[in-house]
Amino acid sequence: LMVDDAHGVGVLGRTGRGIEEHWEMPGSVDVLMGTLSKALGAVGGFVSGSKDLIYYLRFFAPSGMFTTSLPAAVCAGLLETLRLIRSEPEHRERLWSNIRYFMPALRNAGFLVPDAVSPIGTVFMGTHTLMLEFSRELFDAGIKCGNVMYPAVAKGESILRMTLNARHTMQDLQVTVDALERLGRRWGILHRSPEEIREIGARVRLRRGDDPPWGAVS
Ligand SMILES: Cc1ncc(COP(=O)(O)O)c(C=O)c1O
């Protein structure tokens, strides 16, 4: 069993150890990998597994063998982050209290938001055209979010990726929910099914004509 715990490390579980701690199943994942770029706030990644596997990867994983190792300053920052994850749980607690407020608030506003199991709130947008226009208007309102479309998700399954952190205040979250709700109402996508949202999106043209290379089909 191999798990990419990119969104779990530092965040999930009582002490932030990730998905295994979350499910109280320590040692159940054979190959546990993750990134150092999310909760840990740097770059790079890691793989943990059996001694034999790690020995093998050291020699045969091209992304490890044929690339420069992480700069010392980044490693020092990461060590400090790991120390903070262990010794200052209040950041994680604040993050989860933000998540517990924000995701239901979006759902109550009428967006399609799956149950939160991470600091990533995904808001269903369907077509990439609706997602990009919606996202641009959100940006104009002062809110930056990720845009996820094909090939990261299937065509017609585009989502906004709203990433929360422990430093967001209640006011930040409320302003964000209000802005999303205002735009959602204007685009007519609140309290709609995925099919209805896709139908609305099918009529949207990108203002700047910056369709991705596979054309206006997603
Ligand atoms: C599940 C998952 N795995 C891996 C990555 C890649 O992480 P990195 O950008 O640090 O390579 C991401 C990035 O968003 C991710 O969401």
Side-chain angles (χ1 to χ4, degrees), residues 57-138:
L57 290 180
R58 281 218 171 106
F59 289 93
F60 292 105
S63 48
M65 188 66 165
F66 297 111
T67 191
T68 308
S69 48
L70 288 180
V74 170
C75 295
L78 283 162
L79 285 174
E80 181 60 11
T81 308
L82 291 172
R83 192 188 65 72
L84 290 175
I85 287 171
R86 268 195 294 267
S87 62
E88 297 185 9
E90 59 269 28
H91 308 297
R92 193 164 44 254
E93 280 152 21
R94 217 165 36 235
L95 172 64
W96 277 104
S97 109
N98 281 350
I99 295 167
R100 280 193 292 269
Y101 168 80
F102 186 72
M103 308 304 177
L106 287 187
R107 216 169 292 129
N108 289 341
F111 288 101
L112 291 174
V113 180
D115 277 342
V117 285
S118 87
I120 307 290
T122 61
V123 181
F124 182 84
M125 288 282 135
T127 64
H128 75 279
T129 46
L130 173 64
M131 177 192 67
L132 290 173
E133 288 302 314
F134 194 102
S135 179
R136 189 165 288 141
E137 291 182 9
L138 207 53

Side-chain angles (χ1 to χ4, degrees), residues 4 6-7 35-38 44 161:
D4 174 356
H7 299 277
T35 169
L36 307 173
S37 69
K38 301 199 186 295
R161 179 155 142 169

